[in-house]
Structures are given as C-alpha cells and as structure tokens.
Amino acid sequence: MRVLTLLVLIVMLAACTLSESNVPTATPGLMGSVDIVYPPDGTTVYAEALSLRGTAQGLAGNTFTVEVVGVDDEIIARSSVTVTDGQWAVELPHGYGGEPMEVSIYALPSDVDLTSDLRYDVGTVVLAGLSYRPEGTFGSITSPAVGDSVGGEYILVTGTASGLFEGTLLLGLYDPDGIEISRTVLTIEDQYYNLVPWSAELPTNSYTGVAEIRAFYEQASDGKPVIIASIQVTVTQEAG
C-alpha cells in the first residue's frame, strides 16, 4: 500500500511540474496609448521628410519612440517623441530616394530594445524618391468603380490626390447634360508632394439615373476647373 501511495504522489508531482512548465510567460503590458493619426495608411510619400502626428495618453515621461522600418526590418528613420497635452508631431527626414517601397511606422515605448514587438500603433505608407513622382497635380477615384450602381442620401467616394494648391479638392456629381447635382469641398492635409488617400460623402439630392462623379480643382489664375479623375455611375433610390 505504501509503495502504491508513493507512486501516486510521484505521478502527481510530475504532472504538476509539466503543467507549470507549459504555462506561457506573460508579456509585459504597455503603459499608456499612442495613436498615429497622420499620415493615413496608403499614403505615398515623395517628400524628403515624413510628417507624423497623433495623440497619446498615460505615457511614462510623456515620451515614446517612432520608427520607420523597411524591408528586412531595416530601420530607415527613428526618433524620440515628446507628448504635449495629449498631442504629438514629428518630422522625420528619411533619406530614401529610390523606387516606391512600402514601409511600416511603429510607435513603441522609449525604453524597449529595437527588436521588441511591443508597439502602441502601426501605420503603413509608401516611400518614393521625388524623381518618381509624376509632374503636376494628379489623383484618382478608387471607389465606387466605373459603372457601379450607387444611391441613398449620400455616395461614399474615395480616392487619392497630390499637388493641390492649399490641399483643396472639389468633388461633384453631374447629370448627362453636365448640370451639377451636388458638390463638396475637401481639404487634404500636407499633401502637395505626397499622394494622399481621401474620402467624402457626396449628396445625391434625390437624383436618380446615369451620372458622373468628378474630382477636380480650380486654377488659381482664372478659377477654371481642371478634372483629375472622373467615373460614370448609376444613381438609384437605394444604396447599391
């Protein structure tokens, strides 16, 4: 009986030891929070410096670190950032002049190792040398697609733009005769050289039928509209 009892105790101790060894080590939590507000994901940065801004709360010493990381985890730019009244902003010269390359922006604690996976927030942009930027003002409408049926009170329109004077983009809805149904004005931040995503709600004003969505700007010299992108859609009473 004593031998049997001893064997049971040995098995139980071994099971407890095995169970404890399989418990994962807890990852230390992050103190506070950081949000990267600008640039929006998908921005193509042709400028020589990357402008970043955002919000932060509850950080030790009101500081954190931002990194711009390329392929093979190459650190392209890195800087310490100070938070003031919950806001932060930093200009990061990146020194990159090559072909368009997707990079990640990491906001991470100031005291962690460069290889740490502790990150408050992550953004994704494309870096490209200024020589790869098309000349002039240009952009696109990325949604809706050509020929889509859209409707409701508003049409959600997304796209990109670069080279706008004072960042002002006009978005209009037009009937087949070119008569304007509605218009909205967008201000796109920090985008003269960069290609920046945008989105807007364009009123339908109860119109139905074939229509054209135009993204354009007005020339400063004479106010003449210059279309940078347009698509044809069918507007219905209900959203498509």
Side-chain angles (χ1 to χ4, degrees):
M1 179 62 70
R2 290 180 179 176
V3 174
L4 179 59
T5 302
L6 183 59
L7 287 173
V8 171
L9 287 173
I10 292 172
V11 170
M12 290 177 64
L13 287 172
C16 290
T17 302
L18 180 60
S19 175
E20 290 175 1
S21 67
N22 287 337
V23 175
T25 302
T27 301
L30 291 171
M31 177 183 294
S33 63
V34 177
D35 289 316
I36 301 170
V37 176
Y38 189 89
D41 285 350
T43 297
T44 299
V45 178
Y46 296 103
E48 295 178 348
L50 178 57
S51 298
L52 304 173
R53 68 172 177 83
T55 60
Q57 300 291 335
L59 303 183
N62 279 328
T63 62
F64 69 99
T65 296
V66 291
E67 288 180 352
V68 181
V69 180
V71 295
D72 299 324
D73 293 329
E74 176 193 5
I75 297 177
I76 297 171
R78 177 179 169 89
S79 178
S80 178
V81 181
T82 300
V83 180
T84 303
D85 295 328
Q87 308 289 321
W88 60 270
V90 64
E91 290 273 333
L92 284 182
H94 53 76
Y96 182 77
E99 296 181 355
M101 173 182 67
E102 187 174 86
V103 299
S104 297
I105 304 168
Y106 297 140
L108 61 160
S110 296
D111 57 351
V112 301
D113 185 83
L114 296 183
T115 60
S116 172
D117 289 330
L118 291 177
R119 295 161 186 163
Y120 293 112
D121 200 7
V122 179
T124 304
V125 300
V126 174
L127 290 185
L130 189 57
S131 62
Y132 290 90
R133 182 188 182 276
E135 292 184 3
T137 303
F138 60 95
S140 67
I141 294 174
T142 54
S143 71
V146 175
D148 274 0
S149 292
V150 296
E153 266 188 86
Y154 296 91
I155 304 169
L156 177 62
V157 186
T158 64
T160 61
S162 180
L164 295 168
F165 177 68
E166 296 183 342
T168 301
L169 178 69
L170 303 174
L171 193 66
L173 184 67
Y174 299 85
D175 73 10
D177 295 323
I179 297 174
E180 186 173 279
I181 300 163
S182 69
R183 177 189 292 202
T184 189
V185 181
L186 292 76
T187 300
I188 303 175
E189 181 183 351
D190 181 36
Q191 63 78 62
Y192 187 78
Y193 285 120
N194 299 334
L195 181 64
V196 181
W198 53 262
S199 65
E201 290 184 330
L202 189 58
T204 58
N205 290 340
S206 301
Y207 175 85
T208 58
V210 174
E212 182 182 14
I213 298 173
R214 301 175 188 169
F216 62 100
Y217 67 95
E218 293 178 344
Q219 294 184 143
S221 58
D222 55 13
K224 181 180 178 181
V226 179
I227 298 172
I228 62 173
S230 66
I231 60 167
Q232 190 177 80
V233 295
T234 300
V235 183
T236 61
Q237 289 184 343
E238 300 297 329

